[in-house]
Amino acid sequence: RLKRPISVSERCLRCLCPRTETASMAAADLQLVLTALKEGGPAETTPAREMLFAALPHALAPISAGDEPHPYQLRVLDDVRRAFESLRVLAVEAMNVATNDIKAARDTLAEAEAAVVSATAAVGEAKAAADAAKGNRDERAALVRQAERDLAETEASTQSAIDSRTQLLAELDFARGVVEAAEKCKEAGTSAPESDASVALVALLEKCHAEKALIAAVPASLRIPAAARSDFDDFTVREAMRVVGEAVKALESKLVAGAEEAASAEAERLGSWAILDIERERVAELEAGVAAAEGTLADAEASRRASAAEVGVQKNALSDKLIAETLAESRLKELAQATGAFERLVKPPVPPPEEEEAARRQAQTTTAADEPQMSSPSDEASREQDVEISGAQEEAQATAGDEPMTEVTEAMEKVADAPARPAPESLSMGGA
């Protein structure tokens, strides 16, 4: 059966990666270089890196076969070297940016944590101030209640004094009326056995606790005109007038004393009222102070909650920066490993003699296996067409010269000069 002709790319890879231990290491290095070259670069350099990715195995094939690369292949290797250097510069810049960002994030986090400590202290101070304000308010409220009790007592005393004075005035008016009526009857006597004057005088004498004999004799003595009275009747009338006169004087003295007592009670009432009014005003001021202290406490607690939330935000931001730094470190290590692998591919170590012999026999076997066993006119035409296409491609490459690789180089240099992209967003640290 006819075998298809092997392509140039497959032949390069087979020459580069024969089945020996050294060649296996070279294959691993090539895979590492190609992966690093294709991944992790800026988007604007993707076409250039894809060109290098496709051309690199062809450029390395002569070296693995022990031949000297032609100038175009050397230029490809040089462009790959410069591409790795550009990627390394970008990775270093990303690493520096991540390091600076981490420092700034740590500083910001420290400030946020200090703000939490300060806010917590402010909450404690505000709570203490609010408790003190409430204590002062409660003490003053107790004084207000005491002042209200004092005012109630003084108002009761004042009212009692006023009532006593009113009663004294009524009694004094009654006594004076009795005396006045008795004076009128004293000379002319009374026409009726039980006149109003006689009845009132008897009532007053009874109230003054006069002697019962005097009280009993007064009505009869008052009915007798003064000229017709006996000595007993005159004595009775005079004694009765003396008793009621003393009663009037006693009532007048009590009235004066009662006026002083009422005035004193009124003064005490007014004083108690003034004290109560002052204490109530003071309580109102303290209530306003309590409200202000509670508002300050609420603001301090809100500030503490906001500061705690900001700490969480800054921890997440620091987590993102740490992850970005880790990614940048990983990228630098990958590029360092890829660069080392590339240099080993460009300058491969000398394999042991037994591996060289095994590789030579394998190459001969591969070459023989790649040759078609039978040829047909159509196969010959196909191979001739492949040779013509290959020759045309080589002629086109020779005509183009170094222009494609110059574009690659310029693209990679633009990447090196471009500013570093920001670190990618990542998962937060959560409660870490």
Side-chain angles (χ1 to χ4, degrees):
R1 190 180 63 178
L2 294 177
K3 295 184 179 179
R4 68 173 179 83
I6 187 171
S7 65
V8 177
S9 176
E10 291 177 357
R11 190 179 300 276
C12 292
L13 290 176
R14 290 186 183 184
C15 293
L16 183 64
C17 305
R19 296 180 180 87
T20 62
E21 182 178 356
T22 303
S24 298
M25 295 175 60
D29 286 344
L30 178 60
Q31 184 63 36
L32 183 63
V33 170
L34 293 176
T35 301
L37 186 63
K38 188 174 183 180
E39 299 176 357
E44 57 268 22
T45 64
T46 300
R49 287 184 287 106
E50 288 179 350
M51 291 173 59
L52 294 176
F53 177 86
L56 180 59
H58 300 280
L60 291 173
I63 298 176
S64 63
D67 298 330
E68 185 69 22
H70 56 72
Y72 177 80
Q73 293 170 326
L74 292 175
R75 182 60 183 271
V76 170
L77 297 177
D78 186 55
D79 285 340
V80 171
R81 186 177 287 108
R82 283 190 292 172
F84 275 130
E85 178 60 22
S86 299
L87 293 174
R88 187 194 67 81
V89 170
L90 289 176
V92 170
E93 291 178 356
M95 183 67 182
N96 293 335
V97 170
T99 301
N100 295 332
D101 289 346
I102 287 174
K103 183 180 181 303
R106 290 186 188 279
D107 294 340
T108 305
L109 177 60
E111 293 176 359
E113 290 175 342
V116 170
V117 174
S118 177
T120 303
V123 168
E125 293 175 359
K127 188 176 185 305
D131 292 341
K134 290 178 181 178
N136 294 335
R137 187 269 316 273
D138 294 342
E139 290 179 2
R140 191 62 60 176
L143 294 178
V144 168
R145 291 190 293 271
Q146 182 62 42
E148 290 174 345
R149 289 191 293 269
D150 294 342
L151 178 61
E153 291 177 0
T154 55
E155 286 179 342
S157 299
T158 301
Q159 188 62 42
S160 176
I162 292 173
D163 293 343
S164 298
R165 189 170 184 275
T166 301
Q167 185 178 359
L168 286 173
L169 285 172
E171 291 177 358
L172 181 59
D173 290 340
F174 174 74
R176 285 174 178 174
V178 170
V179 171
E180 184 178 355
E183 287 290 342
K184 290 179 180 180
C185 297
K186 181 179 176 182
E187 297 298 331
T190 59
S191 58
E194 295 181 358
S195 65
D196 293 339
S198 176
V199 173
L201 181 59
V202 170
L204 181 59
L205 289 173
E206 289 176 350
K207 191 172 184 178
C208 294
H209 303 289
E211 294 180 4
K212 293 182 178 181
L214 179 62
I215 294 171
V218 163
S221 297
L222 280 178
R223 286 196 301 270
I224 303 171
R229 289 177 187 148
S230 63
D231 293 337
F232 176 77
D233 292 329
D234 286 338
F235 174 78
T236 299
V237 172
R238 286 196 305 272
E239 185 64 19
M241 296 303 292
R242 183 190 67 79
V243 171
V244 296
E246 290 179 355
V248 168
K249 290 180 181 179
L251 288 174
E252 290 175 346
S253 298
K254 287 182 179 181
L255 185 62
V256 172
E260 294 177 354
E261 182 181 355
S264 176
E266 180 64 15
E268 290 182 1
R269 187 189 70 81
L270 292 175
S272 298
W273 180 85
I275 291 173
L276 176 60
D277 189 59
I278 292 173
E279 294 298 335
R280 283 175 175 171
E281 290 181 355
R282 183 56 180 159
V283 167
E285 293 176 358
L286 292 177
E287 284 287 358
V290 169
E294 289 178 344
T296 302
L297 176 59
D299 293 341
E301 289 176 344
S303 178
R304 179 177 61 181
R305 289 193 296 270
S307 299
E310 181 63 19
V311 167
V313 171
Q314 296 305 324
K315 283 184 177 180
N316 292 337
L318 178 59
S319 175
D320 292 341
K321 300 302 185 294
L322 291 172
I323 292 173
E325 183 187 45
T326 302
L327 293 176
E329 290 177 351
S330 177
R331 180 59 176 164
L332 278 175
K333 291 180 181 178
E334 290 175 359
L335 290 174
Q337 293 173 356
T339 302
F342 175 74
E343 295 300 333
R344 287 193 299 271
L345 291 172
V346 174
K347 296 179 181 180
V350 178
E354 57 274 14
E355 284 195 10
E356 289 186 352
E357 181 62 23
R360 184 183 62 79
R361 288 196 300 268
Q362 181 181 352
Q364 291 176 353
T365 303
T366 302
T367 302
D370 290 337
E371 292 296 332
Q373 295 178 357
M374 294 179 62
S375 297
S376 65
S378 60
D379 292 337
E380 288 294 334
S382 177
R383 280 199 299 272
E384 288 176 359
Q385 185 177 4
D386 289 341
V387 171
E388 289 176 356
I389 293 174
S390 177
Q393 289 176 344
E394 292 176 356
E395 182 179 357
Q397 292 176 355
T399 303
D402 294 338
E403 289 180 359
M405 302 317 300
T406 301
E407 293 177 355
V408 172
T409 304
E410 290 176 353
M412 300 309 294
E413 289 175 349
K414 288 180 181 179
V415 172
D417 295 335
R421 294 180 299 170
E425 296 183 356
S426 57
L427 299 176
S428 61
M429 291 195 326

